Structure formats: structure tokens, C-alpha cells
């Protein structure tokens, strides 16, 4: 398939790799599975990814907002969906109508949601979020807040119009080797909260806490379902060790090749200076496509002949790479920015960030091409 004949830069989404990862992670967890598809499934395309996960038996999906949940419903995804973030109480009717589960992170919100649901004569399904140490959302339960937190959760669950189906917490350092003691502390506190709530007659069908880091490193924390995001996409903590495969391959082509004399300055800011006869290729990808400018003069892209170092500053729409040592690379050749031959993890490490940021940054301008068994099965709407 001559994909590069059609377009400048694209992202191949390997649905077989996604299915493989899902199967490996489910086997590893030995429990039910919630697939995190927030932020357009980490840039992979929420509806496409959700469809595969649902077919493979994910019992739940999660997104960050009502808008993201609606996109899934409009795409025909009919299974349970959990919203991690805040939804204004004025939207409770929309949540109930679309059958979407809302996170409740404090008693004041539980009261507002309850009142809104009761006024509509409906029932809102909720999951209680417990803050065991992330210090973001969730009922406070650490230290002196413990007893008050337990009582607030009990009162919240007893409110009319709310169906408290689940309870969860989120780890802040489960991906880091030095985070083991803190993660175990968070888990122990979560277990204690669940135990005390049960003693008060407050029980939950779905208790969950395991993000990607915990799925990779702490299988004993799986509880009723695991909740991985980035590892589903085949990168991130433990992805290589678990035998996962990268789902996204960000690709472009060589659009132009020129040969410069020694003493030539390449690109904005004159940050690369040739010291020899230098063969430079121009790639039609830039920071507006999601190629971080911070990778200028630091990273390489991968050609069929080998790695081509980025020279000079990455521009908005174009990037220059050196092809002096790759004389066989010609105009029209395909180039991988990250994916199977160079992991997003490698580029993330160069930038001092996490692979989540790289895959999410692949912009709207980059068409997604969905592949199964090596064949294109679908493509994103921006692609004619
Ligand atoms: C994003 C998120 C996840 C998934 O995190 P990964 O590191 O991608 O596995 C899980 N739970 C919550 C609450 C999240 O916000």
C-alpha cells in the first residue's frame, strides 16, 4: 500500500497490536479490565480503540469528561463508561440519559449530584474516588482525615438518586522503581478504607486502583478490575518486559534532498553548522504535527537504511535530517519518527517526559490510518 503517495505525514494505528496488548494485559491481570481511552485514546482515536477494547471484553472504558464520553456513545460504544473528571451538576441529566458513570470526589459534589438526579427522578451511577496520596481528586482519607473521610463516603453513598457502584484510587509513583514504598502505602490505605466502609455496610461491586505502572509492577493490586492507559498502547512502564507492541507508528516521508557545502547553517537560529559536504533531507513534519521542538539536534528518525539525525531546529511544518551516511535514502522514502523501530519511550526519555505526552501531542492535522492484518481498514475523517 503506497500510503506516502497520498499524504505527507500520518499515524498508523495497528489494531492487531492493540488487541495483542489487551490480551496480554488481561492475562497478566487475571481480573476484569477497564480501558482508559481519555484524550482521544491517547491520540490513537477514541472510537476505534474503544470498539476493539469492547470486543475484547473490557468491562469498562474511562474518559476525562462528559464530552469525551458522548463522542464514544455517538460512535456506537454502548458499554459502561466512567468519567474521571468533574462534570457540572447541571449536566447530570445528560449523564443519566447517556448511561454514563460519574466520579464523585467529595461529599459536596455527591450532594449536588444527588439533588440534581432526584429532581429529575433518575439515578446517577457513580464511582467514589479516594485520595490515598495523589493529592488531586478524591475524598481525603490520609492521617487525621481518616475517620471524617470514611463518614463522608458513607453519607455520600446513602444519598438518594446515586448508585455507588465502584470505588477507586490513583497511584502517583507506581511507574517508578523508587516509588514502591509509597505505592504500597497508598494501596494499604485504600484496602483499609474499603474494609472500614464494608464494616459500615457500604460495599462496592467494582474496586479498582491499578494504572499502567501497577499492572506492570504490582499484579497483587488488581482487585476487581485493572485500569491501564499507556501500556494498552504498547509503550510506558514495563511494556517491553510484558511483550507489548507499540500501537501507533508516526510516519512521514522525505520530501526534498539537498547537498550543502561545509560551513552552511541549517534552519532557524542557525543551530547546526555543517563541517563537511552534507546531505540534508526535509521531512514534512513539524511541531504543529506533534514533533516536539525540544528534540531539535537531539533525536533521530528511522529510515530503511538506518537512523537519520535531526539537524537544526524543528520547524512548525518541516524538519531537516542528515542523510550523508545514508546515500541510498531518496525522495519519497518512508521515515518512522516513532513506533516499531524507535519507541516513543526513547524520545520521551530524551525530552525528560513520559510517552503519554508524545502520543497525545500527535495533532489533528495528522491523519490516523487504521490497520489490521497489515491492511488498511479505516482512516480518520480528516483524510480524504
Ligand atoms: C490517566 C489515568 C489512568 C491511566 O494512567 P496510565 O498511566 O496511562 O496507565 C488511570 N486512572 C486514572 C484516574 C487516570 O486519570
Amino acid at each position: 500500500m503506497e500510503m506516502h503517495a497520498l499524504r505527507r505525514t500520518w499515524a498508523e494505528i495497528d489494531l492487531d497490536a492493540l488487541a495483542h496488548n489487551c490480551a496480554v494485559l488481561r492475562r497478566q491481570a487475571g481480573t476484569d479490565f477497564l480501558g482508559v481511552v481519555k484524550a482521544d485514546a491517547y491520540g490513537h482515536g477514541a472510537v476505534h480503540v474503544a470498539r476493539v477494547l469492547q470486543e475484547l471484553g473490557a468491562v469498562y472504558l474511562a474518559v476525562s469528561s462528559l464530552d469525551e464520553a458522548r463522542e464514544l456513545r455517538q460512535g456506537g460504544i454502548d458499554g459502561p463508561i466512567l468519567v474521571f473528571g468533574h462534570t457540572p451538576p447541571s449536566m447530570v441529566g445528560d449523564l443519566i440519559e447517556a448511561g454514563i458513570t460519574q466520579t464523585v470526589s467529595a461529599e459536596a459534589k455527591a450532594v449536588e449530584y444527588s439533588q440534581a438526579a432526584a429532581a429529575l427522578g433518575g439515578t446517577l451511577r457513580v464511582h467514589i474516588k479516594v485520595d490515598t496520596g495523589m493529592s488531586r481528586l478524591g475524598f481525603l482519607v490520609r492521617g487525621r482525615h481518616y475517620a471524617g473521610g470514611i463518614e463522608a463516603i458513607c453519607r455520600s453513598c446513602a444519598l438518594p438518586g446515586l448508585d455507588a457502584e465502584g470505588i477507586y484510587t490513583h497511584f502517583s509513583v507506581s511507574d517508578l522503581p523508587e516509588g514502591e514504598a509509597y505505592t504500597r502505602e497508598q494501596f494499604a490505605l485504600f484496602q483499609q478504607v474499603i474494609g472500614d466502609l464494608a464494616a459500615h455496610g457500604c460495599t462496592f461491586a467494582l474496586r479498582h486502583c491499578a494504572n499502567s505502572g501497577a499492572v506492570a509492577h504490582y499484579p497483587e493490586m488488581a482487585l476487581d478490575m485493572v485500569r491501564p492507559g499507556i501500556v494498552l498502547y504498547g509503550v510506558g512502564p514495563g511494556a517491553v518486559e510484558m511483550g507489548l507492541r507499540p500501537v501507533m507508528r508516526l510516519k512521514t516521508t522525505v520530501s526534498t534532498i539537498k547537498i550543502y557545502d561545509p560551513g552552511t547553517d541549517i534552519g532557524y537560529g542557525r543551530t547546526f553548522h555543517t563541517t563537511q559536504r552534507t546531505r540534508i533531507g526535509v521531512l514534512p513534519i513539524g511541531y504543529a504535527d506533534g514533533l516536539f521542538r525540544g528534540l531539535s539536534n537531539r533525536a533521530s528518525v528511522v529510515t530503511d537504511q538506518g537512523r537519520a539525525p535531526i539537524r537544526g531546529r524543528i520547524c512548525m511544518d518541516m524538519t531537516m535530517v542528515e542523510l550523508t551516511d545514508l546515500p541510498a535514502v531518496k525522495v519519497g522514502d518512508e521515515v518512522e519518527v516513532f513506533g516499531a523501530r524507535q519507541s516513543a519511550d526513547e524520545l520521551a526519555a530524551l525530552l525528560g517526559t513520559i510517552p503519554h505526552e508524545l502520543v497525545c501531542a500527535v495533532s489533528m492535522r495528522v491523519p490516523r490510518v487504521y490497520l489490521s492484518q497489515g491492511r488498511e481498514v479505516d482512516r480518520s475523517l480528516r483524510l480524504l
Side-chain angles (χ1 to χ4, degrees):
M1 189 175 14
E2 293 286 300
M3 223 114 44
H4 56 268
L6 301 173
R7 56 191 75 96
R8 58 190 281 278
T9 289
W10 67 98
E12 294 174 5
I13 308 297
D14 181 346
L15 296 176
D16 299 330
L18 179 65
H20 165 82
N21 297 345
C22 191
V24 169
L25 292 167
R26 284 190 68 189
R27 206 178 318 125
Q28 160 130 352
T31 186
D32 272 336
F33 191 93
L34 174 154
V36 179
V37 295
K38 63 193 181 190
D40 200 27
Y42 293 45
H44 293 65
V47 172
H48 286 89
V49 168
R51 215 175 274 149
V52 170
L53 296 182
Q54 234 182 23
E55 276 166 20
L56 292 170
V59 301
Y60 241 100
L61 299 166
V63 294
S64 69
S65 66
L66 173 59
D67 288 337
E68 289 184 348
R70 274 192 181 129
E71 186 192 355
L72 294 182
R73 286 282 182 259
Q74 279 161 15
I77 304 300
D78 53 12
I81 301 174
L82 171 64
V83 171
F84 285 146
H86 174 65
T87 305
S90 59
M91 311 294 272
V92 163
D94 302 70
L95 287 168
I96 293 173
E97 198 180 325
I100 292 159
T101 308
Q102 173 61 41
T103 293
V104 168
S105 57
E107 188 176 8
K109 295 203 193 269
V111 169
E112 288 182 326
Y113 288 146
S114 163
Q115 285 168 351
L120 294 161
T123 301
L124 178 65
R125 187 174 301 141
V126 297
H127 285 204
I128 299 291
K129 178 84 177 277
V130 184
D131 183 0
T132 57
M134 173 72 174
S135 308
R136 192 175 63 179
L137 295 183
F139 285 79
L140 284 168
V141 292
R142 277 170 76 87
R144 67 181 178 85
H145 297 290
Y146 188 79
I150 297 290
E151 287 165 20
I153 295 171
C154 282
R155 284 193 301 269
S156 299
C157 292
L159 288 169
L162 300 186
D163 166 22
E165 174 194 46
I167 187 165
Y168 73 105
T169 194
H170 194 40
F171 294 129
S172 60
V173 284
S174 61
D175 56 328
L176 306 175
E178 65 273 25
E180 179 170 352
Y182 195 79
T183 303
R184 292 198 184 284
E185 214 178 280
Q186 280 193 266
F187 185 64
L189 179 56
F190 187 48
Q191 293 272 67
Q192 193 187 343
V193 166
I194 289 169
D196 273 345
L197 287 170
H200 284 76
C202 187
T203 57
F204 302 88
L206 292 173
R207 301 158 298 168
H208 49 108
C209 60
N211 59 357
S212 291
V215 172
H217 305 310
Y218 309 102
E220 68 277 19
M221 298 182 190
L223 299 179
D224 297 313
M225 64 182 182
V226 292
R227 207 176 64 227
I230 194 70
V231 288
L232 270 177
Y233 307 101
V235 287
V240 173
E241 294 81 351
M242 290 188 283
L244 305 180
R245 287 162 34 196
V247 175
M248 184 189 290
R249 296 188 288 266
L250 179 60
K251 291 190 171 175
T252 186
T253 51
V254 178
S255 71
T256 302
I257 296 176
K258 283 157 72 190
I259 294 171
Y260 297 106
D261 290 330
T264 305
D265 298 318
I266 310 288
Y268 285 122
R270 304 173 65 192
T271 60
F272 187 82
H273 188 74
T274 63
T275 56
Q276 55 170 350
R277 204 165 164 273
T278 303
R279 191 165 177 259
I280 294 282
V282 181
L283 310 180
I285 183 171
Y287 59 78
D289 299 291
L291 181 57
F292 282 66
R293 191 169 174 274
L295 293 169
S296 299
N297 290 312
R298 297 177 69 193
S300 296
V301 299
V302 188
T303 72
D304 284 344
Q305 315 295 325
R307 291 193 175 219
I310 294 173
R311 297 302 193 207
R313 288 220 175 117
I314 292 168
C315 312
M316 185 182 289
D317 313 310
M318 291 179 240
T319 296
M320 284 74 87
V321 296
E322 178 158 354
L323 301 172
T324 312
D325 298 332
L326 306 169
V329 173
K330 57 188 189 307
V331 167
D333 280 6
E334 196 171 291
V335 170
E336 182 185 292
V337 177
F338 64 73
R341 294 187 285 177
Q342 163 161 267
S343 165
D345 288 302
E346 282 176 61
L347 295 185
L350 279 177
L351 286 161
T353 188
I354 49 176
H356 309 56
E357 197 180 358
L358 275 93
V359 287
C360 286
V362 175
S363 75
M364 280 288 288
R365 182 164 80 178
V366 178
R368 271 63 167 174
V369 179
Y370 294 89
L371 303 176
S372 181
Q373 274 141 37
R375 293 164 55 92
E376 180 177 334
V377 292
D378 205 358
R379 48 176 68 183
S380 60
L381 289 176
R382 301 248 354 232
L383 189 58
L384 295 173

